[in-house]
């Protein structure tokens, strides 16, 4: 028991200890803090290494700075081998009881459990302690699978949790951590690197490439292959490579099946669909449906996939043809998601609008283009937006050096200023 308590003590805020906090992600911590002081379970989800652990520790540290006794914080990270002895929710409950016996915390205890999906039956622990009316708990958990709160668990915890998707660094956060100025060049540097927090403490391209490769291997092996008993691991990885190198392109499952068959790879529609679904569940890629702007409904069939972080493209598969325009479109998608929008690919007869984004009553249409180098290019990019008959906001986003005047109510935004209008 002493060894187990020593592991707990090592990673907690007791006795003046402050675990590594990383770069403060104020947008997330402010948003999550708005939901504190109640019995709602705060759930952070997102890709491995996107920064969930740092944010949990930042929230704990902020609670302490606002008067919470450090000994009322209980933090574990199931990614750490020191906590391998926690196999299921009963082990977790035993450790919590040990902590309470040793520290005798008075009042509400704040439970922070990182990568909780690695604790078998964790939902029983969370459900029980979130509703405990004898001892007071407030619970913050994180996980790396989008299905963590689906099915029976969603029913079990219905109405008693709030979900936050954690994405890699935004451009503004990139500027903050690198001390760069907001400019076209710093935006291109951001686009050509990656935005996972640990990348910013690694010394060179080679170590960054190895780090990104290790993340990819860990997610595919531990979160997909082992969990779903995948029969063809090589096919799974090849599908991931395909999605990375076709990000921002319209594709369908049938297209992908035909691609693999043309390369003499045996597969089926159902297998590919399942494998892509598993990859989506880990947040490595995001699927975006097409949306009929006139009919106001989604369209089945073709869709687009965007990568959760461009580091997978930049460090692992840079040799494939993939223009800067596609990377820009990928970054715009991620920025819209960070700002809380539901995002679709717009379709209207023979025209495509890159993004239809909705948040509450606000709807915006965006076209993404590398540069509007001449009048013909500008005309092509503005045309789909001009064809839309409603009065919602319309933007063209590009990397042009100068900001162009408004055209028929359509505004031009330089990509590095996009966050300001969302």
């Amino acid at each position: 028991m002493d060894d187990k308590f020593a592991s707990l003590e090592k990673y907690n805020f007791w006795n003046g200890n402050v675990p590594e906090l990383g770069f403060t992600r104020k947008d997330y911590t402010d948003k999550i803090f708005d939901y504190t002081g109640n019995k709602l379970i705060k759930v952070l989800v997102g890709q491995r290494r996107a920064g969930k652990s740092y944010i949990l520790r930042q929230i704990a540290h902020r609670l302490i700075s606002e008067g919470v006794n450090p000994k009322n914080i209980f933090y574990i990270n199931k990614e750490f081998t020191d906590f391998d002895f926690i196999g299921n929710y009963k082990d977790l409950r035993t450790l919590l009881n040990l902590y309470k016996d040793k520290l005798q915390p008075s009042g509400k205890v704040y439970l922070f459990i990182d990568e909780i999906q690695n604790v078998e039956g964790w939902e029983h622990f969370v459900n029980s302690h979130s509703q405990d009316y004898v001892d007071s708990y407030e619970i913050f958990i994180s996980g790396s699978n989008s299905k963590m709160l689906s099915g029976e668990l969603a029913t079990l915890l219905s109405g008693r949790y709030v979900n936050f998707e954690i994405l890699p660094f935004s451009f503004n956060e990139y500027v903050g951590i690198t001390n760069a100025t907001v400019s076209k060049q710093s935006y291109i540097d951001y686009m050509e690197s990656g935005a996972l927090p640990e990348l910013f403490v690694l010394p060179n391209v080679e170590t960054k490439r190895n780090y990104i490769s290790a993340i990819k291997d860990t997610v595919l092996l531990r979160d997909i292959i082992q969990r779903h008993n995948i029969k063809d691991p090589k096919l799974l990885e090849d599908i991931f490579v395909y999605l990375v190198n076709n990000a921002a392109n319209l594709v369908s499952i049938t297209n992908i099946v035909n691609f693999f068959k043309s390369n003499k790879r045996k597969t089926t529609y159902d297998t590919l669909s399942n494998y892509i679904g598993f990859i989506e569940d880990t947040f490595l890629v995001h699927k975006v449906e097409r949306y009929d702007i006139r009919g106001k409904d989604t369209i089945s069939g073709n869709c687009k996939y965007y990568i959760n972080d461009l580091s997978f493209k930049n460090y692992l598969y840079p040799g494939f043809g993939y223009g800067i325009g596609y990377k820009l479109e990928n970054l715009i998608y991620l920025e819209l998601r960070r700002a809380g929008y539901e995002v679709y690919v717009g379709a209207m007869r023979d025209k495509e609008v890159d993004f239809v984004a909705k948040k509450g009553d606000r709807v915006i249409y965006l076209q993404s283009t590398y540069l509007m180098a001449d009048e013909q290019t500008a005309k092509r990019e503005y045309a789909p937006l001009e064809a839309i008959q409603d009065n919602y906001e319309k933007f063209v986003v590009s990397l042009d050096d100068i900001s162009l005047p408004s055209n028929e109510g359509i505004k031009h935004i330089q990509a590095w200023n996009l966050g300001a209008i969302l």
Side-chain angles (χ1 to χ4, degrees):
M1 280 296 183
D2 285 345
D3 288 346
K4 293 174 181 177
F5 185 76
S7 296
L8 197 56
E9 194 169 32
K10 176 180 174 182
Y11 294 105
N12 270 278
F13 290 79
W14 318 327
N15 306 319
N17 183 38
V18 179
E20 188 179 357
L21 298 174
F23 177 81
T24 301
R25 304 188 70 180
K26 194 171 183 299
D27 286 349
Y28 283 120
T29 55
D30 283 353
K31 195 183 299 183
I32 295 165
F33 240 75
D34 285 344
Y35 289 89
T36 56
N38 52 57
K39 286 188 171 290
L40 281 174
I41 304 153
K42 273 61 81 173
V43 184
L44 281 61
V45 294
Q47 181 203 305
R48 282 181 185 267
R49 307 292 180 264
K52 300 185 298 297
S53 302
Y54 285 118
I55 291 170
L56 281 182
R57 293 195 291 268
Q58 287 168 17
I59 293 165
H61 188 252
R62 183 163 162 182
L63 284 168
I64 292 165
S65 70
E66 295 188 6
V68 171
N69 188 325
K71 293 188 176 180
N72 284 55
I73 304 288
F74 174 94
Y75 171 84
I76 71 161
N77 186 335
K78 264 298 287 172
E79 285 287 280
F80 297 158
T81 56
D82 287 1
F83 294 112
D84 280 352
F85 63 87
I86 301 173
N88 57 47
Y89 73 97
K90 293 178 181 176
D91 299 332
L92 184 55
R93 187 175 61 206
T94 300
L95 184 63
L96 177 62
N97 289 337
L98 174 64
Y99 147 81
K100 290 171 69 179
D101 288 343
K102 291 270 192 181
L103 294 192
Q104 299 287 312
S106 175
K108 182 191 286 187
V109 171
Y110 296 83
L111 304 179
F112 291 83
I113 306 163
D114 214 346
E115 298 296 351
I116 198 170
Q117 79 276 356
N118 295 328
V119 178
E120 186 181 340
W122 63 267
E123 57 271 22
H124 301 295
F125 177 91
V126 169
N127 190 48
S128 171
H129 288 82
S130 68
Q131 296 306 300
D132 193 325
Y133 290 97
V134 177
D135 295 318
S136 181
Y137 297 101
E138 188 160 349
I139 301 176
F140 302 77
I141 61 176
S142 81
S144 302
N145 192 289
S146 67
K147 292 291 192 289
M148 197 175 83
L149 285 162
S150 63
E152 291 178 17
L153 181 57
T155 304
L156 186 69
L157 300 180
S158 180
R160 291 192 275 117
Y161 70 89
V162 57
N163 203 49
F164 304 91
E165 183 179 356
I166 308 302
L167 290 157
F169 283 159
S170 66
F171 173 60
N172 285 339
E173 288 175 320
Y174 171 87
V175 166
I177 198 169
T178 59
N179 294 314
T181 55
V182 175
S183 67
K184 176 177 178 176
Q185 186 54 55
S186 59
Y187 190 85
I188 290 172
D189 292 342
Y190 169 65
M191 180 187 294
E192 296 299 330
S193 62
L196 298 174
E198 290 292 337
L199 286 171
F200 297 91
V201 297
L202 297 176
N204 54 51
V205 170
E206 188 60 29
T207 55
K208 291 177 182 182
R209 182 179 296 112
N210 290 336
Y211 174 70
I212 297 301
S213 182
I215 292 174
K216 182 257 298 177
D217 291 344
T218 300
V219 172
L220 295 184
L221 178 63
R222 291 180 58 182
D223 297 337
I224 303 178
I225 294 169
Q226 291 178 353
R227 179 169 294 169
H228 298 287
N229 194 24
I230 295 296
K231 299 292 192 293
D232 191 345
K234 181 66 169 68
L235 177 64
L236 178 74
E237 181 163 4
D238 288 346
I239 291 170
F240 175 63
V241 175
Y242 179 92
L243 294 176
V244 169
N245 287 312
N246 286 277
N249 284 325
L250 275 173
V251 296
S252 69
I253 302 294
T254 303
N255 294 153
I256 304 172
V257 170
N258 291 337
F259 169 80
F260 281 105
K261 284 186 175 176
S262 71
N263 284 277
K264 307 291 189 271
R265 298 291 297 279
K266 288 184 179 179
T267 187
T268 66
Y269 185 100
D270 287 345
T271 298
L272 267 173
S273 182
N274 287 334
Y275 282 15
I276 290 172
F278 297 151
I279 294 170
E280 283 181 75
D281 290 346
T282 63
F283 300 96
L284 288 180
V285 300
H286 303 274
K287 179 182 180 180
V288 181
E289 303 279 5
R290 292 174 78 218
Y291 180 84
D292 182 351
I293 292 172
R294 289 180 188 272
K296 309 296 183 190
D297 202 3
T298 54
I299 307 168
S300 60
N302 289 357
C303 63
K304 289 188 179 184
Y305 291 91
Y306 294 98
I307 324 169
N308 196 52
D309 190 64
L310 285 176
S311 59
F312 294 106
K313 175 65 194 172
N314 294 330
Y315 294 114
L316 301 186
Y317 315 113
F320 294 83
Y322 193 85
I324 197 168
Y326 292 106
K327 291 185 182 181
L328 174 60
E329 188 176 327
N330 204 117
L331 289 183
I332 292 170
Y333 167 77
L334 293 171
E335 196 64 26
L336 288 166
R337 284 291 298 273
R338 277 190 201 93
Y341 287 86
E342 293 176 53
V343 185
Y344 304 91
V345 176
M348 197 173 58
R349 290 188 182 174
D350 59 340
K351 292 182 173 65
E352 292 280 350
V353 175
D354 289 329
F355 297 112
V356 179
K358 301 179 175 186
K359 181 167 73 170
D361 293 332
R362 190 181 188 192
V363 177
I364 57 177
Y365 302 109
L366 294 97
Q367 279 293 90
S368 165
T369 185
Y370 172 29
L371 293 172
M372 288 188 284
D374 51 47
E375 190 177 336
Q376 188 177 352
T377 305
K379 203 175 232 181
R380 186 183 69 237
E381 297 301 332
Y382 278 85
L385 296 175
E386 289 170 349
I388 300 171
Q389 296 302 305
D390 62 44
N391 294 316
Y392 292 122
E393 298 167 273
K394 303 174 181 73
F395 299 96
V396 173
V397 184
S398 78
L399 292 174
D400 284 282
D401 291 314
I402 58 169
S403 184
L404 304 175
S406 182
N407 180 347
E408 301 289 327
I410 301 166
K411 296 174 184 174
H412 172 242
I413 299 290
Q414 294 164 306
W416 49 97
N417 295 321
L418 177 61
I421 61 103
L422 296 181

